[in-house]
């Protein structure tokens, strides 16, 4: 039985889909009746998978229930650190830096929601060993669909040889081996369904932690 209703109406000129999209989402899920553990929600996937969109909605959901939360976006963090190096070694170092930031924030009893590529098994292992309350969310979208969206034209430019070091084209991604929540895209999938699946997956994961 639903115990609470959360309604979110927002517009995103998202990275996940071309153009601006307005949607109305109602969730009959309440985190307040769960334990008070602080979590890091590491939302990962290839470029244009929808990481930022889902991360923003989840952050709003947590705030609506009075939970302290910081939303972090991989692209925005790159700007903060003035990091424009996209080679594999630099990407690994950058991802581990984000991991340490998340660990530090969670230690202050503040939830973190981060939307980041960070597709390195080394990073995923480090996170599980060092971030309390770590919940890994993998948005799994086929490269064909990502190339169709491609709001920043990354895939098109990479295919034409104009840029290099793009995951899914000339840079191999190390996908999570055992994500806590695996959001597998399918034709006709929409943001409402993905968010509902994400929230239910989070509740299932936190109940397992408590048991």
């Amino acid at each position: 039985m639903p115990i609470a209703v959360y309604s979110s109406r927002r517009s995103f000129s998202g990275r996940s889909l071309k153009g601006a999209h307005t949607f109305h989402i109602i969730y009959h899920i309440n985190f307040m009746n769960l334990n008070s553990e602080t979590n890091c929600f590491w939302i990962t996937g290839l470029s244009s998978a929808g990481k930022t969109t889902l991360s923003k909605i989840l952050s709003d959901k947590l705030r609506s229930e009075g939970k302290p939360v910081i939303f972090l976006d991989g692209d925005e963090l790159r700007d903060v650190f003035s990091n424009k190096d996209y080679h594999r070694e630099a990407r690994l170092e950058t991802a581990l830096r984000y991991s340490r930031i998340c660990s530090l924030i969670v230690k202050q009893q503040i939830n973190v929601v981060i939307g980041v590529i960070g597709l390195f098994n080394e990073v995923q292992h480090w996170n599980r060993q060092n971030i309390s309350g770590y919940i890994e969310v993998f948005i799994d979208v086929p490269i064909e669909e990502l190339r169709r969206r491609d709001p920043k034209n990354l895939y098109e430019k990479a295919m034409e040889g104009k840029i290099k070091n793009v995951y899914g084209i000339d840079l191999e991604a190390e996908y999570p081996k055992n994500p806590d929540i695996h959001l597998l895209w399918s034709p006709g999938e929409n943001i409402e369904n993905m968010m509902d699946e994400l929230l239910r997956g989070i509740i299932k994961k936190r109940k397992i932690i408590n048991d």
Side-chain angles (χ1 to χ4, degrees), residues 13-175:
S13 19
R15 298 179 181 139
S16 59
L17 299 171
K18 287 188 176 181
H21 299 268
T22 302
F23 43 84
H24 187 244
I25 307 172
I26 298 178
Y27 301 114
H28 299 275
I29 297 175
N30 187 356
F31 287 160
M32 293 300 288
N33 66 325
L34 299 178
N35 70 329
S36 58
E37 178 186 10
T38 304
N39 292 103
C40 170
F41 302 96
W42 184 275
I43 301 180
T44 186
L46 293 176
S47 179
S48 303
K51 302 180 298 296
T52 300
T53 301
L54 286 181
S55 297
K56 286 182 177 179
I57 301 173
L58 177 58
S59 298
D60 283 352
K61 166 66 176 170
L62 292 167
R63 290 193 186 97
S64 75
E65 297 185 0
K67 292 185 175 294
V69 59
I70 290 178
F71 162 66
L72 298 175
D73 176 76
D75 288 341
E76 292 178 352
L77 286 173
R78 271 190 173 275
D79 290 338
V80 169
F81 293 111
S82 299
N83 187 345
K84 301 301 180 184
D85 190 344
Y86 292 91
H87 289 85
R88 186 187 185 282
E89 293 74 16
R91 283 179 177 272
L92 175 58
E93 181 181 349
T94 297
L96 287 171
R97 181 180 294 126
Y98 297 169
S99 295
R100 290 190 289 269
I101 291 173
C102 290
S103 176
L104 179 62
I105 294 173
V106 169
K107 287 178 181 178
Q108 306 302 313
Q109 299 300 304
I110 299 174
N111 293 284
V112 180
V113 179
I114 180 169
V116 63
I117 295 179
L119 290 171
F120 295 96
N121 294 150
E122 178 181 341
V123 172
Q124 297 146 17
H125 177 74
W126 191 96
N127 290 349
R128 291 198 182 280
Q129 295 297 315
N130 296 277
I131 303 178
S132 176
Y134 177 71
I135 296 180
E136 188 173 273
V137 181
F138 175 38
I139 307 178
D140 190 352
V141 183
I143 189 64
E144 294 78 14
E145 172 62 16
L146 298 175
R147 289 177 60 186
R148 184 191 69 79
R149 301 174 184 180
D150 203 14
K152 294 184 285 187
N153 295 319
L154 288 178
Y155 296 112
E156 180 179 349
K157 291 178 181 178
M159 292 293 292
E160 294 175 352
K162 295 179 180 179
I163 59 175
K164 296 181 179 181
N165 299 307
V166 175
Y167 278 117
I169 304 298
D170 64 336
L171 195 62
E172 183 179 357
E174 298 177 4
Y175 299 113

Side-chain angles (χ1 to χ4, degrees), residues 203-211:
I203 288 182
K204 180 180 179 180
K205 172 64 179 178
R206 294 178 75 169
K207 285 183 178 179
I208 290 175
I209 293 174
N210 291 339
D211 291 343

